[in-house]
């Protein structure tokens, strides 16, 4: 606990301070501070506007270029977009209320608790100076507060986040009700995806804080045992050799503490990277399975991106979904969906019978070989199902290898690598251009970024090629040959090749480095959660579900903002970079490599969340 230092002008200056005057001084005279609420609000609004208005303008430009319309209609659409995003119900204004409003409310609270802006907390109250469990009367009102700074920040952020979610939901529902969006979108909660994003990031921050606490507990205990704080009076009593002995013990304990600190950091890194890899593996398995069978559970833009990267024909996906629903079968045929693969076969220049479920063999063995001989299929001896040429969708056909599973996987890996390198080069080099533009001309700076982009592209290429090759291993190369009496309704069904490939492809995440593994896991986790929750949870339906979503939104966003101010090391990746820029501006680590130590009140210094042993209720 802290006590106030007497003012050099006498104690009368600190008596009966005017809290209103102190509040006004705090909110106006320090506006040049990058961490002032006004500057935080300005940066938040600019960032929020770029995230919401930018994609809307880009979509408007694409629609204008592809769909002819009158100038009046284009102008009306543009005015609608600007009015929606720049208005008080837009995303930028709502998120500014949450972030900037929370910072302002926290500063007001701290100013009222410590009204004199020059009050310095410099005197540490020793535990022996407590009288009967009560603090010494010298302690300031601020230090006697039952709420820690991070608790005040959390409560302030809860209030402003509640206002933010109300503004967002009302604004989006109003825009949907204008008839400019499809009816299906108007039924979906307008903040559901944002809620999942905040939930995942906040849970990760709590998990990282827990790992930091576990990894530093023992090293902190050893550092507190160092005998360097022994007073000279005790040294005189112990004798002339005591100083040397204590110094040697001090050195040994410091070395032991440093060793434990290194081991703790290594333990933290090892646990975090394994959890990240497991989370990505589980999430990618769910996402890829839903891409094939339940694409409505995923964001439409995400489905389009996977479709373009995977180079899969839509008719093949429709056949797999019809097979799952029993509308297309090798055993029973198909009365309504039989033309799906027939048309695909014809478009690939293959016989139409190769896609007819009435003709294709459902089981392997000698009976299948008779049918393949009649259909002139030469690479499926002993197995049934659709020929590989249709599954590969013509990949490698120009080299006469359309039926080769290895060629299909290799060609798709090459295509994916080319597209991925075009995607990841900007991801790795744009931050360098924004923060250190001259470093891109230096080989020792540019080469690691290039290698990191190649590594990320290799990961995405391996992810995609392993998926296709796992399907081929299941239905053609290994399992279907070992167990020919199992129908291809099972091998090509939802629990066959697609499931096996969904479980295998996520292992490619180990190609990425540890930092990227964490960011990839945080990227796919909200989408996997969305794909796993019941459909009614994402719709604007029962009032109880709406209240539950609003509560999760408020608590998650308030936790993130509190961590960003009082425990920023618990944040990772995009959330850490974004919130550091919003909260600190030029003082953020990637803009200026220095640490600011704030000792006055207000503003409140960034205080770490206390551990159990540091909290008052655990003191003995």
């Amino acid at each position: 606990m802290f006590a106030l230092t007497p003012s050099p002008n006498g104690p009368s200056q600190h008596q009966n301070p005017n809290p209103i005057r102190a509040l006004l001084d705090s909110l106006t005279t320090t506006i040049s501070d990058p961490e002032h609420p006004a500057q935080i609000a300005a940066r938040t609004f600019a960032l929020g506007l770029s995230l919401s208005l930018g994609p809307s303008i880009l979509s408007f430009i694409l629609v204008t270029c592809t769909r002819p319309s009158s100038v009046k209609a284009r102008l009306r659409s543009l005015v609608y977009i600007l009015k929606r995003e720049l208005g008080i119900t837009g995303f930028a204004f709502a998120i500014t209320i949450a972030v900037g409003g929370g910072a302002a409310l926290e500063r007001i609270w701290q100013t009222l608790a410590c009204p004199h802006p020059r009050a310095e907390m410099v005197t540490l109250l020793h535990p022996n100076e407590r009288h009967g469990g009560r603090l010494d009367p010298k302690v300031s009102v601020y230090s006697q507060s039952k709420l820690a700074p991070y608790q005040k920040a959390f409560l302030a952020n809860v209030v402003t986040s509640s206002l933010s979610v109300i503004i967002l939901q009302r604004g989006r529902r109003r825009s949907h009700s204008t008839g400019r969006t499809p009816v299906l979108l108007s039924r979906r909660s307008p903040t559901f995806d944002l809620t999942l994003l905040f939930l995942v990031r906040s849970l990760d921050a709590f998990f990282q804080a827990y790992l930091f606490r576990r990894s530093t507990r023992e090293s902190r205990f050893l550092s507190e045992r160092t005998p360097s704080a022994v007073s000279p009076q005790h040294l005189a009593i112990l004798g002339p050799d005591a100083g040397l002995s204590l110094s040697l013990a001090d050195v040994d304990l410091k070395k032991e503490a440093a060793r434990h600190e290194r081991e703790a950091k290594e333990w933290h890194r090892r646990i975090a990277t394994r959890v990240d890899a497991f989370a990505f593996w589980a999430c990618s398995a769910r996402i890829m399975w839903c891409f094939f069978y339940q694409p409505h559970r995923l964001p439409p833009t995400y489905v389009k991106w996977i479709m373009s990267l995977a180079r899969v024909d839509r008719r093949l996906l429709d056949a797999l979904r019809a097979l799952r629903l029993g509308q297309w079968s090798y055993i029973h045929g198909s009365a309504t969906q039989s033309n799906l693969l027939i048309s695909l076969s014809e478009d690939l220049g293959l016989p139409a019978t190769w896609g007819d479920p009435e003709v294709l063999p459902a089981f392997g063995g000698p009976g299948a070989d008779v049918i393949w001989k009649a259909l002139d299929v030469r690479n499926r001896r002993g197995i049934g199902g659709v020929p590989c040429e249709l599954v590969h969708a013509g990949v490698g056909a120009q080299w006469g290898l359309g039926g080769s599973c290895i060629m299909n996987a290799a060609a798709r890996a090459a295509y994916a690598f080319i597209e991925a390198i075009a995607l990841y080069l900007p991801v790795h080099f744009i931050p360098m251009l924004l923060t250190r533009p001259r470093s891109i001309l230096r080989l020792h700076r540019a080469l690691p970024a290039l290698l990191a982009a190649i590594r990320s592209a290799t990961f995405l290429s391996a992810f995609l090629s392993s998926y296709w090759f796992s399907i081929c291993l299941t239905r053609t190369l290994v399992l279907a040959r070992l167990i020919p009496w199992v129908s291809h309704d099972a091998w090509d069904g939802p629990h066959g090749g697609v499931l096996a490939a969904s479980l295998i492809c996520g292992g490619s995440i180990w190609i990425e480095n540890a930092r990227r593994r964490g960011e990839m896991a945080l990227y796919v986790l909200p989408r996997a959660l969305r794909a796993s929750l019941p459909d009614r949870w994402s719709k604007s339906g029962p009032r109880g579900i709406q209240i539950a979503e609003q509560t999760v939104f408020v608590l998650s966003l308030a936790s993130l903002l509190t961590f960003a101010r009082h425990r920023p090391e618990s944040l990772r990746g995009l959330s850490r970079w974004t919130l550091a820029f919003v909260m600190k501006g030029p003082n953020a680590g990637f803009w200026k490599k220095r640490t600011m130590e704030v000792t006055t009140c207000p503003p409140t210094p960034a205080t770490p969340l206390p551990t159990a042993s540091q909290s008052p209720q655990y003191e003995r």
Side-chain angles (χ1 to χ4, degrees):
M1 308 301 283
F2 296 95
L4 297 179
T5 300
S7 171
N9 297 327
S12 60
Q13 184 177 351
H14 297 284
Q15 295 176 358
N16 301 324
N18 188 342
I20 303 300
R21 178 66 179 273
L23 177 61
L24 293 177
D25 290 343
S26 173
L27 294 178
T28 57
T29 59
T30 58
I31 198 169
S32 60
D33 181 12
E35 300 185 36
H36 191 274
Q39 292 205 29
I40 292 177
R43 290 191 295 266
T44 303
F45 187 82
L47 183 61
L49 193 62
S50 65
L51 293 176
S52 60
L53 186 59
S56 298
I57 293 295
L58 180 61
S59 177
F60 168 76
I61 294 174
L62 293 177
V63 171
T64 302
C65 295
T66 56
R67 299 178 185 176
S69 59
S70 64
V71 177
K72 186 177 181 180
R74 296 177 184 178
L75 184 60
R76 186 168 57 249
S77 299
L78 180 60
V79 171
Y80 167 76
I81 292 174
L82 295 176
K83 183 178 179 181
R84 181 189 64 189
E85 300 300 340
L86 295 175
I88 60 174
T89 58
F91 172 79
F93 183 81
I95 206 67
T96 302
I97 289 293
V99 181
L105 190 59
E106 180 187 2
R107 173 167 290 215
I108 291 173
W109 194 345
Q110 301 294 3
T111 302
L112 294 177
C114 183
H116 201 282
R118 300 183 182 275
E120 298 180 358
M121 308 300 183
V122 296
T123 304
L124 181 63
L125 183 63
H126 194 273
N128 294 334
E129 296 180 16
R130 296 172 185 164
H131 306 283
R134 297 182 180 181
L135 296 177
D136 187 89
K138 297 186 299 179
V139 180
S140 65
V141 177
Y142 175 76
S143 63
Q144 292 181 11
S145 176
K146 295 181 179 179
L147 295 179
Y150 77 93
Q151 294 173 328
K152 295 179 180 180
F154 177 75
L155 293 178
N157 290 324
V158 164
V159 173
T160 55
S161 298
S162 301
L163 297 176
S164 175
V165 70
I166 293 174
I167 293 173
L168 274 176
Q169 290 186 343
R170 288 187 177 181
R172 296 303 174 184
R173 288 195 181 100
R174 186 179 297 112
S175 65
H176 290 167
S177 63
T178 59
R180 300 178 186 268
T181 56
V183 178
L184 180 62
L185 290 178
S186 64
R187 294 177 54 196
R188 186 172 295 277
S189 171
T191 57
F192 187 71
D193 291 334
L194 197 59
T195 301
L196 292 180
L197 175 64
F198 290 154
L199 174 63
V200 167
R201 295 285 176 166
S202 62
L203 291 178
D204 178 71
F206 278 106
F207 178 68
Q208 295 300 319
Y210 170 76
L211 290 184
F212 276 120
R213 177 182 171 184
R214 284 286 307 273
S215 61
T216 58
R217 181 182 300 169
E218 187 173 358
S219 60
R220 184 173 62 246
F221 173 73
L222 287 173
S223 63
E224 291 173 353
R225 289 178 55 194
T226 58
S228 56
V230 177
S231 64
Q233 292 81 2
H234 288 88
L235 289 177
I237 296 174
L238 293 175
D241 296 332
L244 179 61
S245 300
L246 289 175
S247 298
L248 294 176
D250 194 358
V251 171
D252 292 339
L253 282 175
K254 286 182 177 180
K255 290 182 178 179
E256 185 73 7
R259 184 180 66 83
H260 278 279
E261 184 177 359
R262 290 193 300 269
E263 293 178 354
K265 289 181 179 180
E266 177 62 23
W267 176 85
H268 176 274
R269 186 197 62 80
R270 185 169 60 252
I271 295 297
T273 191
R274 290 179 180 178
V275 171
D276 291 337
F278 175 79
F280 179 86
W281 169 78
C283 293
S284 62
R286 177 60 179 170
I287 288 173
M288 293 305 298
W289 192 91
C290 287
F291 167 75
F292 277 91
Y293 294 112
Q294 295 179 332
H296 64 278
R297 289 182 171 272
L298 301 173
T301 54
Y302 197 52
V303 173
K304 291 180 181 179
W305 180 74
I306 298 177
M307 180 78 71
S308 63
L309 192 64
R311 296 176 178 265
V312 57
D313 193 281
R314 187 175 296 276
R315 288 167 293 186
L316 181 61
L317 294 177
D318 292 339
L320 291 175
R321 293 161 190 167
L323 178 61
R324 175 174 178 262
L325 298 175
Q327 301 172 355
W328 195 99
S329 172
Y330 293 105
I331 299 176
H332 307 291
S334 176
T336 59
Q337 306 287 338
S338 60
N339 191 52
L340 287 174
L341 295 186
I342 291 177
S343 62
L344 175 61
S345 180
E346 292 175 344
D347 290 346
L348 294 175
L350 302 173
T353 53
W354 286 23
D356 190 352
E358 302 286 347
V359 179
L360 296 174
F363 300 90
D369 295 341
V370 175
I371 298 176
W372 293 136
K373 185 176 181 180
L375 297 177
D376 195 23
V377 176
R378 304 176 182 178
N379 57 356
R380 295 196 66 79
R381 183 176 181 179
I383 53 177
V386 174
C388 286
E389 287 82 353
L390 270 71
V391 177
H392 301 165
V395 174
Q398 59 269 38
W399 300 294
L401 299 173
S404 172
C405 298
I406 296 178
M407 181 63 189
N408 173 66
R412 291 184 182 276
Y415 291 145
F417 181 84
I418 294 173
E419 294 186 11
I421 199 68
L423 172 66
Y424 283 114
L425 279 176
V427 170
H428 287 82
F429 279 94
I430 286 180
M432 294 178 60
L433 292 174
L434 293 177
T435 57
R436 302 182 303 274
R438 293 183 180 179
S439 63
I440 198 172
L441 301 177
R442 300 173 182 174
L443 184 61
H444 69 284
R445 298 284 188 182
L447 185 59
L450 178 61
L451 294 177
I454 294 175
R455 185 174 184 175
S456 297
T458 304
F459 147 71
L460 194 56
S461 174
F463 181 92
L464 187 63
S465 59
S466 64
Y467 198 98
W468 282 102
F469 195 64
S470 299
I471 290 177
C472 292
L473 285 176
T474 302
R475 68 178 309 273
T476 301
L477 299 177
V478 179
L479 294 183
R481 293 186 182 277
L482 293 177
I483 317 176
W485 57 86
V486 175
S487 168
H488 268 264
D489 282 356
W491 296 126
D492 293 340
H495 302 102
V498 172
L499 178 61
S502 299
L503 294 175
I504 291 175
C505 64
S508 59
I509 190 61
W510 289 103
I511 298 176
E512 276 284 15
N513 59 45
R515 183 181 59 84
R516 290 285 301 167
R517 278 198 291 270
E519 191 60 31
M520 292 299 297
L522 294 176
Y523 176 77
V524 299
L525 192 52
R527 292 157 178 80
L529 283 177
R530 172 176 173 167
S532 303
L533 294 175
D535 288 339
R536 67 179 184 275
W537 286 27
S538 62
K539 305 292 179 62
S540 299
R543 182 60 181 168
I545 294 179
Q546 295 181 29
I547 294 176
E549 184 200 340
Q550 292 173 352
T551 303
V552 172
F553 182 100
V554 169
L555 295 180
S556 300
L557 181 55
S559 299
L560 275 176
L561 297 178
T562 305
F563 274 111
R565 181 159 177 81
H566 295 275
R567 195 70 178 271
E569 69 275 6
S570 298
L571 300 176
R572 295 193 297 170
L574 188 60
S575 58
R576 183 174 187 174
W577 187 92
T578 303
L579 289 175
F581 167 74
V582 167
M583 291 295 184
K584 297 184 178 181
N587 292 337
F590 48 86
W591 291 109
K592 183 180 294 184
K593 298 294 184 180
R594 68 185 182 93
T595 302
M596 297 186 64
E597 182 177 0
V598 182
T599 58
T600 59
C601 170
T604 307
T607 305
L609 300 178
T611 60
S613 60
Q614 296 172 327
S615 299
Q617 60 267 31
Y618 290 94
E619 296 176 354
R620 299 183 183 274

